[in-house]
Amino acid sequence: MSFDATQYWESEGSTGEYRPLPLEQEVPRLADAGLSGIEAASGLTRSEHMAQVRAGNLGSVHSWELVTAVDGPGTRMTTFFAGCPLRCLYCHNPDTLQMRAGTPVFAEDLLDRMLRYRSVFAATGGGVTFSGGEPLMQPQFLAKLLAGAKDAGIHTTIDTSGFLGAAATDEILANLDLVLLDIKSGDPDTYRRTTGRELAPTVAFGQRLAQAGVPVWVRFVLVPGLTDDPENIAQAAEIAAQWDNVERVEVLPFHQMARAKWETSGMRYQLAEVKPPSAAQTASARDIFRDHGLTVY
């Protein structure tokens, strides 16, 4: 079976750059997720809206939820930004790919919601995680939220592919306690087939995080027939092993829980017939990372 995410991109002509093809329809927000307790920004003219975005006061958000032991340590308020530059074939949140499908939210309203859970965060060693989508697609908004959280003494994390790592300012890095860095493949060609994009920006961002001493948890999704080649895994392990700030690697077995979202996304889901890896396959992948001196879960 052949997989290829590059079908979701179109050339911008002589520049050699590519942009995501528009989805065939708006992706609906999940019925069991949303912005409960956080008001959507309204009453702004377009120019006012854009000024607030540039200032980092306003962002496009898909949803938020309170989770435990999923998006970093302890109990966390995870906020899903809308918009992503990748088109990963196994994307768990295809309903977050379009920025225009999100809800405009003021940073101060999100921060107010975070503050309500400070006692929970303190009791569990948790905090806030900004995910998506891709949080670095909205760097000004992210910077405002990270600074506010740090001022309140809340542990901060982003879940990112690292593809837009160049957008992360030094201020953003200074306000990060942890980065969940998705190394989706170690082989550049496999990375391109999986995401439609290039691997190099992720590696460059990982190197920058290492130089800054920002703790990193690497994530690798094991997809049979796509990312499971032992050489591909070994190359991903080699990338992670070069950084002494990597605290752990999480090898995540592929699953079909997002299939229903893909069915309403307007994109062809190429992995519909792929079965999750066996326990033995997953253990073998974890062993490859361990063989490179990494702590693996």
Side-chain angles (χ1 to χ4, degrees):
M1 187 176 296
S2 177
F3 307 114
D4 189 356
T6 60
Q7 66 171 303
Y8 300 127
W9 300 84
E10 63 182 353
S11 172
E12 292 185 338
S14 60
T15 64
E17 295 295 322
Y18 285 79
R19 62 187 176 193
L21 287 163
L23 303 187
E24 295 174 9
Q25 60 189 55
E26 289 295 318
V27 178
R29 180 171 288 107
L30 294 176
D32 58 350
L35 292 168
S36 176
I38 301 174
E39 294 295 326
S42 60
L44 298 175
T45 66
R46 178 172 176 78
S47 61
E48 290 171 337
H49 181 104
M50 294 308 300
Q52 292 293 328
V53 169
R54 286 191 294 270
N57 298 324
L58 186 67
S60 180
V61 176
H62 175 272
S63 57
W64 72 271
E65 60 186 13
L66 209 62
V67 296
T68 300
V70 175
D71 298 317
T75 299
R76 311 195 69 80
M77 177 179 169
T78 299
T79 300
F80 299 91
F81 285 27
C84 183
L86 273 59
R87 292 295 180 266
C88 300
L89 295 177
Y90 57 74
C91 181
H92 185 61
N93 298 315
D95 44 347
T96 67
L97 293 179
Q98 302 173 88
M99 191 177 295
R100 69 177 183 271
T103 298
V105 171
F106 283 114
E108 62 182 314
D109 291 336
L110 263 177
L111 287 168
D112 285 345
R113 175 60 54 168
M114 292 174 201
L115 294 178
R116 296 189 185 190
Y117 298 108
R118 276 186 297 183
S119 61
V120 176
F121 301 150
T124 65
V128 294
T129 298
F130 301 106
S131 184
E134 171 55 64
L136 287 172
M137 201 163 178
Q138 302 181 60
Q140 297 93 339
F141 186 55
L142 176 63
K144 183 80 69 172
L145 294 168
L146 288 172
K150 290 300 290 181
D151 286 346
I154 298 173
H155 183 277
T156 58
T157 299
I158 62 170
D159 182 0
T160 176
S161 72
F163 181 76
L164 295 178
T169 63
D170 290 342
E171 176 192 9
I172 284 177
L173 297 193
N175 285 325
L176 280 171
D177 293 311
L178 175 66
V179 173
L180 307 178
L181 183 61
D182 299 322
I183 301 181
K184 300 173 185 293
S185 291
D187 170 65
D189 290 338
T190 302
Y191 193 96
R192 192 178 304 109
R193 287 195 303 274
T194 301
T195 71
R197 288 297 208 178
E198 302 300 319
L199 170 61
T202 294
V203 178
F205 185 55
Q207 187 63 32
R208 187 174 167 212
L209 292 172
Q211 292 169 348
V214 179
V216 167
W217 292 5
V218 166
R219 287 178 159 179
F220 178 87
V221 180
L222 184 65
V223 185
L226 184 62
T227 67
D228 64 335
D229 184 271
E231 181 59 29
N232 179 54
I233 300 170
Q235 289 183 55
E238 289 169 7
I239 291 170
Q242 68 182 310
W243 304 321
D244 58 11
N245 59 325
V246 174
E247 296 183 342
R248 62 194 283 181
V249 174
E250 297 178 343
V251 175
L252 307 175
F254 167 77
H255 56 69
Q256 291 284 359
M257 292 174 62
R259 183 171 179 176
K261 302 181 199 177
W262 277 83
E263 290 175 354
T264 59
S265 71
M267 295 190 299
R268 182 172 68 88
Y269 184 43
Q270 298 184 44
L271 307 184
E273 303 304 319
V274 175
K275 297 184 183 301
S278 67
Q281 289 173 310
T282 303
S284 178
R286 289 174 175 150
D287 285 341
I288 292 174
F289 281 98
R290 289 193 183 99
D291 289 344
H292 286 75
L294 296 158
T295 300
V296 184
Y297 290 84

